[in-house]
PDB file of all heavy atoms in Angstrom:
ATOM      1  N   MET A   1     -40.311 -25.490  -2.558  1.00  0.00           N
ATOM      2  CA  MET A   1     -38.906 -25.822  -2.316  1.00  0.00           C
ATOM      3  C   MET A   1     -38.574 -25.525  -0.855  1.00  0.00           C
ATOM      4  O   MET A   1     -38.635 -24.369  -0.431  1.00  0.00           O
ATOM      5  CB  MET A   1     -38.002 -25.012  -3.239  1.00  0.00           C
ATOM      6  CG  MET A   1     -38.331 -25.170  -4.725  1.00  0.00           C
ATOM      7  SD  MET A   1     -37.166 -24.334  -5.808  1.00  0.00           S
ATOM      8  CE  MET A   1     -37.494 -22.616  -5.378  1.00  0.00           C
ATOM      9  N   ASN A   2     -38.276 -26.566  -0.107  1.00  0.00           N
ATOM     10  CA  ASN A   2     -37.916 -26.436   1.296  1.00  0.00           C
ATOM     11  C   ASN A   2     -36.463 -26.853   1.514  1.00  0.00           C
ATOM     12  O   ASN A   2     -35.867 -27.508   0.656  1.00  0.00           O
ATOM     13  CB  ASN A   2     -38.831 -27.307   2.156  1.00  0.00           C
ATOM     14  CG  ASN A   2     -40.284 -26.912   2.060  1.00  0.00           C
ATOM     15  OD1 ASN A   2     -40.622 -25.744   1.860  1.00  0.00           O
ATOM     16  ND2 ASN A   2     -41.170 -27.895   2.184  1.00  0.00           N
ATOM     17  N   SER A   3     -35.924 -26.469   2.651  1.00  0.00           N
ATOM     18  CA  SER A   3     -34.550 -26.837   3.009  1.00  0.00           C
ATOM     19  C   SER A   3     -33.594 -26.534   1.860  1.00  0.00           C
ATOM     20  O   SER A   3     -32.771 -27.377   1.472  1.00  0.00           O
ATOM     21  CB  SER A   3     -34.482 -28.331   3.372  1.00  0.00           C
ATOM     22  OG  SER A   3     -35.358 -28.621   4.434  1.00  0.00           O
ATOM     23  N   LEU A   4     -33.692 -25.341   1.354  1.00  0.00           N
ATOM     24  CA  LEU A   4     -32.886 -24.975   0.185  1.00  0.00           C
ATOM     25  C   LEU A   4     -31.400 -24.986   0.515  1.00  0.00           C
ATOM     26  O   LEU A   4     -30.980 -24.624   1.622  1.00  0.00           O
ATOM     27  CB  LEU A   4     -33.311 -23.615  -0.340  1.00  0.00           C
ATOM     28  CG  LEU A   4     -34.611 -23.637  -1.162  1.00  0.00           C
ATOM     29  CD1 LEU A   4     -35.234 -22.263  -1.248  1.00  0.00           C
ATOM     30  CD2 LEU A   4     -34.337 -24.199  -2.548  1.00  0.00           C
ATOM     31  N   LYS A   5     -30.627 -25.408  -0.469  1.00  0.00           N
ATOM     32  CA  LYS A   5     -29.185 -25.501  -0.338  1.00  0.00           C
ATOM     33  C   LYS A   5     -28.507 -24.553  -1.337  1.00  0.00           C
ATOM     34  O   LYS A   5     -29.120 -24.130  -2.316  1.00  0.00           O
ATOM     35  CB  LYS A   5     -28.724 -26.934  -0.615  1.00  0.00           C
ATOM     36  CG  LYS A   5     -29.353 -27.981   0.272  1.00  0.00           C
ATOM     37  CD  LYS A   5     -28.884 -29.374  -0.128  1.00  0.00           C
ATOM     38  CE  LYS A   5     -29.505 -30.444   0.760  1.00  0.00           C
ATOM     39  NZ  LYS A   5     -29.043 -31.809   0.396  1.00  0.00           N
ATOM     40  N   LEU A   6     -27.241 -24.273  -1.073  1.00  0.00           N
ATOM     41  CA  LEU A   6     -26.494 -23.390  -1.967  1.00  0.00           C
ATOM     42  C   LEU A   6     -26.540 -23.907  -3.404  1.00  0.00           C
ATOM     43  O   LEU A   6     -26.667 -23.124  -4.359  1.00  0.00           O
ATOM     44  CB  LEU A   6     -25.049 -23.250  -1.512  1.00  0.00           C
ATOM     45  CG  LEU A   6     -24.809 -22.643  -0.132  1.00  0.00           C
ATOM     46  CD1 LEU A   6     -23.314 -22.608   0.176  1.00  0.00           C
ATOM     47  CD2 LEU A   6     -25.410 -21.254  -0.048  1.00  0.00           C
ATOM     48  N   GLU A   7     -26.474 -25.222  -3.547  1.00  0.00           N
ATOM     49  CA  GLU A   7     -26.423 -25.814  -4.880  1.00  0.00           C
ATOM     50  C   GLU A   7     -27.763 -25.777  -5.610  1.00  0.00           C
ATOM     51  O   GLU A   7     -27.849 -26.190  -6.765  1.00  0.00           O
ATOM     52  CB  GLU A   7     -25.908 -27.260  -4.818  1.00  0.00           C
ATOM     53  CG  GLU A   7     -26.610 -28.138  -3.822  1.00  0.00           C
ATOM     54  CD  GLU A   7     -25.898 -28.209  -2.479  1.00  0.00           C
ATOM     55  OE1 GLU A   7     -25.387 -27.152  -2.024  1.00  0.00           O
ATOM     56  OE2 GLU A   7     -25.853 -29.307  -1.887  1.00  0.00           O
ATOM     57  N   ASP A   8     -28.799 -25.293  -4.950  1.00  0.00           N
ATOM     58  CA  ASP A   8     -30.090 -25.114  -5.628  1.00  0.00           C
ATOM     59  C   ASP A   8     -30.134 -23.800  -6.403  1.00  0.00           C
ATOM     60  O   ASP A   8     -31.100 -23.539  -7.132  1.00  0.00           O
ATOM     61  CB  ASP A   8     -31.233 -25.138  -4.614  1.00  0.00           C
ATOM     62  CG  ASP A   8     -31.409 -26.493  -3.964  1.00  0.00           C
ATOM     63  OD1 ASP A   8     -31.284 -27.520  -4.673  1.00  0.00           O
ATOM     64  OD2 ASP A   8     -31.648 -26.532  -2.739  1.00  0.00           O
ATOM     65  N   THR A   9     -29.118 -22.978  -6.244  1.00  0.00           N
ATOM     66  CA  THR A   9     -29.067 -21.709  -6.967  1.00  0.00           C
ATOM     67  C   THR A   9     -29.040 -21.960  -8.466  1.00  0.00           C
ATOM     68  O   THR A   9     -28.186 -22.695  -8.969  1.00  0.00           O
ATOM     69  CB  THR A   9     -27.817 -20.906  -6.551  1.00  0.00           C
ATOM     70  OG1 THR A   9     -27.934 -20.533  -5.180  1.00  0.00           O
ATOM     71  CG2 THR A   9     -27.677 -19.654  -7.400  1.00  0.00           C
ATOM     72  N   ALA A  10     -29.994 -21.368  -9.173  1.00  0.00           N
ATOM     73  CA  ALA A  10     -30.111 -21.577 -10.621  1.00  0.00           C
ATOM     74  C   ALA A  10     -31.265 -20.738 -11.154  1.00  0.00           C
ATOM     75  O   ALA A  10     -32.035 -20.154 -10.380  1.00  0.00           O
ATOM     76  CB  ALA A  10     -30.370 -23.052 -10.928  1.00  0.00           C
ATOM     77  N   VAL A  11     -31.377 -20.719 -12.467  1.00  0.00           N
ATOM     78  CA  VAL A  11     -32.584 -20.194 -13.098  1.00  0.00           C
ATOM     79  C   VAL A  11     -33.536 -21.372 -13.281  1.00  0.00           C
ATOM     80  O   VAL A  11     -33.142 -22.409 -13.829  1.00  0.00           O
ATOM     81  CB  VAL A  11     -32.281 -19.533 -14.456  1.00  0.00           C
ATOM     82  CG1 VAL A  11     -33.577 -19.046 -15.111  1.00  0.00           C
ATOM     83  CG2 VAL A  11     -31.314 -18.368 -14.274  1.00  0.00           C
ATOM     84  N   TYR A  12     -34.743 -21.209 -12.817  1.00  0.00           N
ATOM     85  CA  TYR A  12     -35.735 -22.275 -12.879  1.00  0.00           C
ATOM     86  C   TYR A  12     -36.735 -21.977 -13.997  1.00  0.00           C
ATOM     87  O   TYR A  12     -37.258 -20.853 -14.094  1.00  0.00           O
ATOM     88  CB  TYR A  12     -36.460 -22.403 -11.540  1.00  0.00           C
ATOM     89  CG  TYR A  12     -35.621 -23.073 -10.482  1.00  0.00           C
ATOM     90  CD1 TYR A  12     -34.513 -22.434  -9.942  1.00  0.00           C
ATOM     91  CD2 TYR A  12     -35.926 -24.361 -10.035  1.00  0.00           C
ATOM     92  CE1 TYR A  12     -33.715 -23.058  -8.995  1.00  0.00           C
ATOM     93  CE2 TYR A  12     -35.137 -24.995  -9.075  1.00  0.00           C
ATOM     94  CZ  TYR A  12     -34.050 -24.334  -8.565  1.00  0.00           C
ATOM     95  OH  TYR A  12     -33.258 -24.954  -7.615  1.00  0.00           O
ATOM     96  N   TYR A  13     -36.978 -22.993 -14.817  1.00  0.00           N
ATOM     97  CA  TYR A  13     -37.881 -22.864 -15.963  1.00  0.00           C
ATOM     98  C   TYR A  13     -39.036 -23.852 -15.825  1.00  0.00           C
ATOM     99  O   TYR A  13     -38.815 -25.024 -15.534  1.00  0.00           O
ATOM    100  CB  TYR A  13     -37.152 -23.177 -17.267  1.00  0.00           C
ATOM    101  CG  TYR A  13     -35.982 -22.283 -17.576  1.00  0.00           C
ATOM    102  CD1 TYR A  13     -34.709 -22.596 -17.113  1.00  0.00           C
ATOM    103  CD2 TYR A  13     -36.144 -21.146 -18.351  1.00  0.00           C
ATOM    104  CE1 TYR A  13     -33.622 -21.785 -17.405  1.00  0.00           C
ATOM    105  CE2 TYR A  13     -35.062 -20.324 -18.657  1.00  0.00           C
ATOM    106  CZ  TYR A  13     -33.815 -20.658 -18.174  1.00  0.00           C
ATOM    107  OH  TYR A  13     -32.745 -19.852 -18.481  1.00  0.00           O
ATOM    108  N   CYS A  14     -40.236 -23.394 -16.076  1.00  0.00           N
ATOM    109  CA  CYS A  14     -41.341 -24.341 -16.132  1.00  0.00           C
ATOM    110  C   CYS A  14     -41.517 -24.822 -17.577  1.00  0.00           C
ATOM    111  O   CYS A  14     -41.114 -24.150 -18.529  1.00  0.00           O
ATOM    112  CB  CYS A  14     -42.635 -23.745 -15.597  1.00  0.00           C
ATOM    113  SG  CYS A  14     -43.292 -22.373 -16.535  1.00  0.00           S
ATOM    114  N   ASN A  15     -42.133 -25.966 -17.686  1.00  0.00           N
ATOM    115  CA  ASN A  15     -42.257 -26.643 -18.973  1.00  0.00           C
ATOM    116  C   ASN A  15     -43.585 -27.384 -19.024  1.00  0.00           C
ATOM    117  O   ASN A  15     -43.904 -28.137 -18.108  1.00  0.00           O
ATOM    118  CB  ASN A  15     -41.076 -27.608 -19.115  1.00  0.00           C
ATOM    119  CG  ASN A  15     -41.206 -28.533 -20.306  1.00  0.00           C
ATOM    120  OD1 ASN A  15     -41.822 -29.597 -20.219  1.00  0.00           O
ATOM    121  ND2 ASN A  15     -40.612 -28.152 -21.405  1.00  0.00           N
ATOM    122  N   PHE A  16     -44.352 -27.128 -20.071  1.00  0.00           N
ATOM    123  CA  PHE A  16     -45.604 -27.852 -20.304  1.00  0.00           C
ATOM    124  C   PHE A  16     -45.454 -28.647 -21.598  1.00  0.00           C
ATOM    125  O   PHE A  16     -44.997 -28.105 -22.609  1.00  0.00           O
ATOM    126  CB  PHE A  16     -46.785 -26.889 -20.479  1.00  0.00           C
ATOM    127  CG  PHE A  16     -47.261 -26.218 -19.220  1.00  0.00           C
ATOM    128  CD1 PHE A  16     -46.530 -26.270 -18.052  1.00  0.00           C
ATOM    129  CD2 PHE A  16     -48.463 -25.522 -19.218  1.00  0.00           C
ATOM    130  CE1 PHE A  16     -46.965 -25.640 -16.895  1.00  0.00           C
ATOM    131  CE2 PHE A  16     -48.914 -24.888 -18.071  1.00  0.00           C
ATOM    132  CZ  PHE A  16     -48.162 -24.939 -16.915  1.00  0.00           C
ATOM    133  N   ARG A  17     -45.854 -29.896 -21.553  1.00  0.00           N
ATOM    134  CA  ARG A  17     -45.850 -30.720 -22.756  1.00  0.00           C
ATOM    135  C   ARG A  17     -47.276 -31.180 -23.031  1.00  0.00           C
ATOM    136  O   ARG A  17     -47.877 -31.848 -22.201  1.00  0.00           O
ATOM    137  CB  ARG A  17     -44.930 -31.920 -22.575  1.00  0.00           C
ATOM    138  CG  ARG A  17     -43.484 -31.537 -22.371  1.00  0.00           C
ATOM    139  CD  ARG A  17     -42.582 -32.738 -22.136  1.00  0.00           C
ATOM    140  NE  ARG A  17     -41.215 -32.329 -21.862  1.00  0.00           N
ATOM    141  CZ  ARG A  17     -40.285 -32.143 -22.780  1.00  0.00           C
ATOM    142  NH1 ARG A  17     -40.571 -32.362 -24.057  1.00  0.00           N
ATOM    143  NH2 ARG A  17     -39.071 -31.746 -22.452  1.00  0.00           N
ATOM    144  N   SER A  18     -47.772 -30.795 -24.211  1.00  0.00           N
ATOM    145  CA  SER A  18     -49.107 -31.230 -24.602  1.00  0.00           C
ATOM    146  C   SER A  18     -48.981 -32.246 -25.729  1.00  0.00           C
ATOM    147  O   SER A  18     -47.865 -32.588 -26.145  1.00  0.00           O
ATOM    148  CB  SER A  18     -49.944 -30.034 -25.057  1.00  0.00           C
ATOM    149  OG  SER A  18     -49.526 -29.605 -26.347  1.00  0.00           O
ATOM    150  N   SER A  19     -50.101 -32.674 -26.231  1.00  0.00           N
ATOM    151  CA  SER A  19     -50.083 -33.621 -27.344  1.00  0.00           C
ATOM    152  C   SER A  19     -49.577 -32.952 -28.620  1.00  0.00           C
ATOM    153  O   SER A  19     -49.247 -33.643 -29.589  1.00  0.00           O
ATOM    154  CB  SER A  19     -51.487 -34.171 -27.570  1.00  0.00           C
ATOM    155  OG  SER A  19     -51.941 -34.841 -26.415  1.00  0.00           O
ATOM    156  N   PHE A  20     -49.519 -31.630 -28.620  1.00  0.00           N
ATOM    157  CA  PHE A  20     -49.205 -30.903 -29.850  1.00  0.00           C
ATOM    158  C   PHE A  20     -47.969 -30.023 -29.765  1.00  0.00           C
ATOM    159  O   PHE A  20     -47.414 -29.655 -30.800  1.00  0.00           O
ATOM    160  CB  PHE A  20     -50.397 -30.018 -30.242  1.00  0.00           C
ATOM    161  CG  PHE A  20     -51.706 -30.742 -30.189  1.00  0.00           C
ATOM    162  CD1 PHE A  20     -52.579 -30.548 -29.129  1.00  0.00           C
ATOM    163  CD2 PHE A  20     -52.066 -31.635 -31.183  1.00  0.00           C
ATOM    164  CE1 PHE A  20     -53.779 -31.227 -29.062  1.00  0.00           C
ATOM    165  CE2 PHE A  20     -53.258 -32.317 -31.137  1.00  0.00           C
ATOM    166  CZ  PHE A  20     -54.118 -32.112 -30.073  1.00  0.00           C
ATOM    167  N   ASN A  21     -47.553 -29.679 -28.563  1.00  0.00           N
ATOM    168  CA  ASN A  21     -46.493 -28.687 -28.469  1.00  0.00           C
ATOM    169  C   ASN A  21     -45.762 -28.799 -27.132  1.00  0.00           C
ATOM    170  O   ASN A  21     -46.214 -29.469 -26.203  1.00  0.00           O
ATOM    171  CB  ASN A  21     -47.091 -27.272 -28.604  1.00  0.00           C
ATOM    172  CG  ASN A  21     -46.161 -26.329 -29.341  1.00  0.00           C
ATOM    173  OD1 ASN A  21     -44.943 -26.535 -29.373  1.00  0.00           O
ATOM    174  ND2 ASN A  21     -46.726 -25.301 -29.949  1.00  0.00           N
ATOM    175  N   VAL A  22     -44.627 -28.099 -27.075  1.00  0.00           N
ATOM    176  CA  VAL A  22     -43.851 -27.977 -25.846  1.00  0.00           C
ATOM    177  C   VAL A  22     -43.702 -26.488 -25.549  1.00  0.00           C
ATOM    178  O   VAL A  22     -43.357 -25.703 -26.444  1.00  0.00           O
ATOM    179  CB  VAL A  22     -42.463 -28.629 -25.984  1.00  0.00           C
ATOM    180  CG1 VAL A  22     -41.660 -28.428 -24.706  1.00  0.00           C
ATOM    181  CG2 VAL A  22     -42.602 -30.108 -26.316  1.00  0.00           C
ATOM    182  N   TYR A  23     -43.975 -26.118 -24.319  1.00  0.00           N
ATOM    183  CA  TYR A  23     -43.921 -24.714 -23.921  1.00  0.00           C
ATOM    184  C   TYR A  23     -42.890 -24.536 -22.815  1.00  0.00           C
ATOM    185  O   TYR A  23     -42.756 -25.386 -21.925  1.00  0.00           O
ATOM    186  CB  TYR A  23     -45.289 -24.260 -23.400  1.00  0.00           C
ATOM    187  CG  TYR A  23     -46.419 -24.435 -24.377  1.00  0.00           C
ATOM    188  CD1 TYR A  23     -47.074 -25.666 -24.487  1.00  0.00           C
ATOM    189  CD2 TYR A  23     -46.857 -23.385 -25.181  1.00  0.00           C
ATOM    190  CE1 TYR A  23     -48.121 -25.841 -25.375  1.00  0.00           C
ATOM    191  CE2 TYR A  23     -47.906 -23.557 -26.069  1.00  0.00           C
ATOM    192  CZ  TYR A  23     -48.530 -24.777 -26.159  1.00  0.00           C
ATOM    193  OH  TYR A  23     -49.567 -24.943 -27.046  1.00  0.00           O
ATOM    194  N   TRP A  24     -42.212 -23.396 -22.845  1.00  0.00           N
ATOM    195  CA  TRP A  24     -41.224 -23.052 -21.825  1.00  0.00           C
ATOM    196  C   TRP A  24     -41.523 -21.675 -21.248  1.00  0.00           C
ATOM    197  O   TRP A  24     -41.947 -20.768 -21.977  1.00  0.00           O
ATOM    198  CB  TRP A  24     -39.815 -23.015 -22.413  1.00  0.00           C
ATOM    199  CG  TRP A  24     -39.241 -24.362 -22.728  1.00  0.00           C
ATOM    200  CD1 TRP A  24     -39.261 -24.994 -23.934  1.00  0.00           C
ATOM    201  CD2 TRP A  24     -38.557 -25.225 -21.830  1.00  0.00           C
ATOM    202  NE1 TRP A  24     -38.637 -26.208 -23.833  1.00  0.00           N
ATOM    203  CE2 TRP A  24     -38.185 -26.378 -22.564  1.00  0.00           C
ATOM    204  CE3 TRP A  24     -38.208 -25.142 -20.472  1.00  0.00           C
ATOM    205  CZ2 TRP A  24     -37.491 -27.443 -21.979  1.00  0.00           C
ATOM    206  CZ3 TRP A  24     -37.524 -26.206 -19.905  1.00  0.00           C
ATOM    207  CH2 TRP A  24     -37.166 -27.335 -20.655  1.00  0.00           C
ATOM    208  N   GLY A  25     -41.301 -21.540 -19.946  1.00  0.00           N
ATOM    209  CA  GLY A  25     -41.358 -20.234 -19.329  1.00  0.00           C
ATOM    210  C   GLY A  25     -40.074 -19.474 -19.582  1.00  0.00           C
ATOM    211  O   GLY A  25     -39.099 -20.011 -20.114  1.00  0.00           O
ATOM    212  N   GLN A  26     -40.062 -18.219 -19.165  1.00  0.00           N
ATOM    213  CA  GLN A  26     -38.914 -17.360 -19.418  1.00  0.00           C
ATOM    214  C   GLN A  26     -37.809 -17.562 -18.381  1.00  0.00           C
ATOM    215  O   GLN A  26     -36.684 -17.101 -18.586  1.00  0.00           O
ATOM    216  CB  GLN A  26     -39.353 -15.879 -19.427  1.00  0.00           C
ATOM    217  CG  GLN A  26     -39.535 -15.246 -18.053  1.00  0.00           C
ATOM    218  CD  GLN A  26     -40.794 -15.685 -17.347  1.00  0.00           C
ATOM    219  OE1 GLN A  26     -41.616 -16.432 -17.871  1.00  0.00           O
ATOM    220  NE2 GLN A  26     -40.964 -15.183 -16.120  1.00  0.00           N
ATOM    221  N   GLY A  27     -38.131 -18.241 -17.305  1.00  0.00           N
ATOM    222  CA  GLY A  27     -37.140 -18.496 -16.263  1.00  0.00           C
ATOM    223  C   GLY A  27     -37.257 -17.522 -15.106  1.00  0.00           C
ATOM    224  O   GLY A  27     -37.565 -16.341 -15.295  1.00  0.00           O
ATOM    225  N   THR A  28     -37.021 -18.028 -13.915  1.00  0.00           N
ATOM    226  CA  THR A  28     -37.019 -17.198 -12.721  1.00  0.00           C
ATOM    227  C   THR A  28     -35.804 -17.581 -11.878  1.00  0.00           C
ATOM    228  O   THR A  28     -35.502 -18.754 -11.698  1.00  0.00           O
ATOM    229  CB  THR A  28     -38.322 -17.354 -11.923  1.00  0.00           C
ATOM    230  OG1 THR A  28     -38.331 -16.439 -10.824  1.00  0.00           O
ATOM    231  CG2 THR A  28     -38.522 -18.764 -11.397  1.00  0.00           C
ATOM    232  N   GLN A  29     -35.109 -16.573 -11.390  1.00  0.00           N
ATOM    233  CA  GLN A  29     -33.864 -16.800 -10.659  1.00  0.00           C
ATOM    234  C   GLN A  29     -34.143 -17.180  -9.218  1.00  0.00           C
ATOM    235  O   GLN A  29     -34.941 -16.530  -8.525  1.00  0.00           O
ATOM    236  CB  GLN A  29     -32.994 -15.540 -10.688  1.00  0.00           C
ATOM    237  CG  GLN A  29     -31.696 -15.645  -9.906  1.00  0.00           C
ATOM    238  CD  GLN A  29     -30.688 -16.579 -10.554  1.00  0.00           C
ATOM    239  OE1 GLN A  29     -30.466 -16.522 -11.761  1.00  0.00           O
ATOM    240  NE2 GLN A  29     -30.064 -17.435  -9.742  1.00  0.00           N
ATOM    241  N   VAL A  30     -33.470 -18.223  -8.772  1.00  0.00           N
ATOM    242  CA  VAL A  30     -33.470 -18.618  -7.363  1.00  0.00           C
ATOM    243  C   VAL A  30     -32.024 -18.558  -6.889  1.00  0.00           C
ATOM    244  O   VAL A  30     -31.154 -19.213  -7.461  1.00  0.00           O
ATOM    245  CB  VAL A  30     -34.050 -20.022  -7.169  1.00  0.00           C
ATOM    246  CG1 VAL A  30     -33.847 -20.493  -5.735  1.00  0.00           C
ATOM    247  CG2 VAL A  30     -35.529 -20.040  -7.533  1.00  0.00           C
TER     248      VAL A  30
END
């Protein structure tokens, strides 16, 4: 993430989608 702006402030979650399931991370604050 470059040239970050005030409006980029949020909790960011990663997400993996496989053929069988959907996974979520716990979130990280930016």
Side-chain angles (χ1 to χ4, degrees):
M1 304 185 294
N2 298 329
S3 302
L4 282 160
K5 303 177 180 181
L6 298 179
E7 51 265 40
D8 293 320
T9 294
V11 178
Y12 285 70
Y13 300 89
C14 64
N15 171 274
F16 287 12
R17 297 178 184 271
S18 74
S19 300
F20 313 103
N21 215 336
V22 177
Y23 303 84
W24 287 95
Q26 80 285 357
T28 185
Q29 178 70 46
V30 171

